[in-house]
Amino acid sequence: MSLWVDKFRPRTLDELHYHEGLSARLKSLAASGDFPHMLFYGPSGAGKKTRISCTLKQLFGNGVEKLKIDQRVFISPSKRKLEINIVQSNFHIEITPSEAGNYDRVVIQELLKEIAQTQQVDLNAKQRFKVVIINEADSLSRDAQAALRRTMEKYMSNMRIILCANSTSRLIAPIKSRCLLMRVAAPSPEEMQTVLEHVAKKLRFDLPPEASQQIVADSGGNMRKALLVFEALKMQSPDLSGSLKIAKPDWETYCHKVADLIVQEQTPARVMEVRSKFYELLSHCIPPTVILKTVAERVVERVDENLKADIMHWAAFYECRMRIGNKKIYHLEAWVVKVMSLYKVTKHFVYDFDMSEFE
């Protein structure tokens, strides 16, 4: 039994419920004889991967849905073995090179060169090239991006590359200039409600408007999250009536507790306590950028108005440092110390100011 988010995922461009203009453009590109390298970018849960899979089906037909998962081993320059999972069909291959960390350049160079130097063997294929989908393209190192740029130039005849990213800001300009950019924006609340009602209709039950509005408000433009929450609520309350309580993920609740610890006390002992909480989150594979964003948003809710801009400024500063460096915990801890110092200085200033009024 599959989750609703997978069971009701659109399979063709005609089945997509929003961004009709983008779907029509992708359909015309697939029908044309000159399909370019492409870069899909937009927020998480907007439907980038769904549109990519629908475009591939438009290009090659039903064969792209016959998938197999392989595990490839690559050898780094330091003789270290790198194991990368690869999803592929006869017409395309999907990889996430960022899983290799700083050795993502090795994966890019070896795998793309191997694919590009082989011809399309399926005589019934509508196109004579293979497609390589690179997930989390904005997490690639500079060296990997440089290797990717050279590959895109050299092997255009046998291969097309589709990049999937949340943002274009961390991609180098030569890559962006060689791709057709496709922005997949987050769906509007009305579009999300339309999708939820479509799923409810497929399952043959009525979705109360109040319930759909509550689900949409909680999901924040993330269609994947909305469908997962919808399914969870349906399992808890089959008729979806009355006051629905949408449970927060455990990691989000844990991040809020960390933020409360930062605001409650500003001491070296509290810094060490917060650091242990960060290690706990990182060990459960919560991305460090998500941890920083969630904790910062919670801290901002708990502090005075004059501190909010500074807290978010330093969060952005240390997020940038985090992406450049290797040890994520150092930058998370540095941000905590900075916020504690700002909060403590401001608190003492307000205290002194209030006391002077009574002198």
Side-chain angles (χ1 to χ4, degrees):
M1 192 175 90
S2 59
L3 295 170
W4 291 356
V5 70
D6 296 318
K7 185 177 181 180
F8 299 108
R9 184 189 297 272
R11 298 287 185 264
T12 64
L13 291 170
D14 292 326
E15 294 177 10
L16 294 165
H17 287 84
Y18 52 90
H19 302 333
E20 288 87 357
L22 181 58
S23 300
R25 190 179 180 192
L26 290 171
K27 194 183 295 185
S28 63
L29 282 169
S32 69
D34 187 19
F35 191 80
H37 298 306
M38 301 181 78
L39 167 57
F40 286 78
Y41 68 99
S44 181
K48 299 185 293 295
K49 289 184 180 179
T50 300
R51 287 178 189 278
I52 290 172
S53 63
C54 291
T55 305
L56 289 177
K57 188 169 182 179
Q58 189 77 24
L59 269 172
F60 299 108
N62 295 328
V64 293
E65 295 182 338
K66 297 176 182 177
L67 301 173
K68 62 178 180 178
I69 300 175
D70 290 334
Q71 191 173 62
R72 290 284 303 274
V73 177
F74 299 91
I75 306 298
S76 71
S78 59
K79 306 302 179 184
R80 179 181 173 185
K81 289 185 178 180
L82 310 170
E83 294 183 351
I84 301 294
N85 290 324
I86 296 173
V87 179
Q88 61 181 334
S89 70
N90 290 335
F91 309 99
H92 83 290
I93 187 167
E94 184 175 344
I95 57 173
T96 308
S98 57
E99 291 177 356
N102 292 332
Y103 298 107
D104 52 358
R105 177 181 61 84
V106 177
V107 178
I108 291 286
Q109 283 182 326
E110 292 188 17
L111 190 62
L112 295 192
K113 187 181 291 185
E114 176 187 320
I115 296 167
Q117 289 176 344
T118 58
Q119 295 283 344
Q120 175 65 266
V121 294
D122 194 328
L123 299 177
N124 297 321
K126 297 179 182 178
Q127 307 289 345
R128 303 311 303 164
F129 55 80
K130 268 196 169 184
V131 173
V132 180
I133 302 170
I134 299 179
N135 295 319
E136 300 178 14
D138 48 347
S139 298
L140 293 174
S141 65
R142 287 272 174 168
D143 289 343
Q145 292 187 44
L148 178 60
R149 174 184 64 83
R150 292 192 293 271
T151 306
M152 292 169 76
E153 292 173 346
K154 192 172 181 181
Y155 301 111
M156 179 74 177
S157 59
N158 295 344
M159 179 179 65
R160 298 292 186 276
I161 292 174
I162 296 180
L163 304 175
C164 185
N166 288 344
S167 171
T168 60
S169 61
R170 294 189 295 275
L171 290 170
I172 60 175
I175 284 183
K176 289 186 280 189
S177 67
R178 286 163 175 77
C179 293
L180 178 63
L181 272 61
M182 291 287 181
R183 180 173 179 267
V184 184
S188 66
E190 294 77 17
E191 290 169 336
M192 294 183 75
Q193 286 185 7
T194 302
V195 174
L196 293 176
E197 289 166 4
H198 170 76
V199 172
K201 187 177 178 182
K202 286 273 189 181
L203 295 167
R204 298 177 182 175
F205 69 88
D206 293 327
L207 174 63
E210 299 80 12
S212 66
Q213 290 170 9
Q214 192 173 346
I215 293 169
V216 168
D218 179 76
S219 61
N222 189 325
M223 196 68 245
R224 186 191 308 111
K225 182 180 178 181
L227 288 169
L228 290 171
V229 169
F230 182 25
E231 185 174 5
L233 290 176
K234 179 63 177 174
M235 297 301 111
Q236 294 170 11
S237 175
D239 56 354
L240 292 172
S241 60
S243 59
L244 300 173
K245 187 177 181 182
I246 300 175
K248 296 287 184 184
D250 291 342
W251 66 265
E252 191 173 334
T253 305
Y254 201 78
C255 285
H256 289 172
K257 289 180 180 177
V258 172
D260 293 341
L261 289 174
I262 294 170
V263 175
Q264 287 165 7
E265 183 184 327
Q266 297 79 43
T267 61
R270 182 53 58 92
V271 172
M272 296 306 295
E273 185 180 352
V274 169
R275 184 181 196 183
S276 67
K277 304 286 187 189
F278 281 151
Y279 269 125
E280 186 75 17
L281 288 164
L282 291 170
S283 67
H284 284 80
C285 300
I286 307 300
T289 52
V290 174
I291 295 171
L292 182 58
K293 178 178 180 290
T294 308
V295 174
E297 287 175 348
R298 177 70 170 184
V299 170
V300 162
E301 293 175 3
R302 301 284 308 277
V303 299
D304 296 331
E305 194 68 33
N306 58 338
L307 266 180
K308 293 182 178 182
D310 285 338
I311 288 172
M312 296 312 292
H313 163 75
W314 288 108
F317 175 81
Y318 284 109
E319 184 191 8
C320 180
R321 295 280 295 270
M322 192 190 301
R323 293 184 185 280
I324 298 171
N326 294 326
K327 291 285 187 179
K328 312 301 182 184
I329 188 67
Y330 292 167
H331 307 289
L332 289 170
E333 189 177 0
W335 176 78
V336 170
V337 173
K338 188 70 178 180
V339 170
M340 283 186 174
S341 64
L342 288 171
Y343 187 78
K344 202 163 188 177
V345 167
T346 305
K347 191 164 63 174
H348 281 305
F349 173 76
V350 172
Y351 175 75
D352 293 341
F353 178 78
D354 291 343
M355 288 300 292
S356 65
E357 291 185 346
F358 295 96
E359 291 178 357

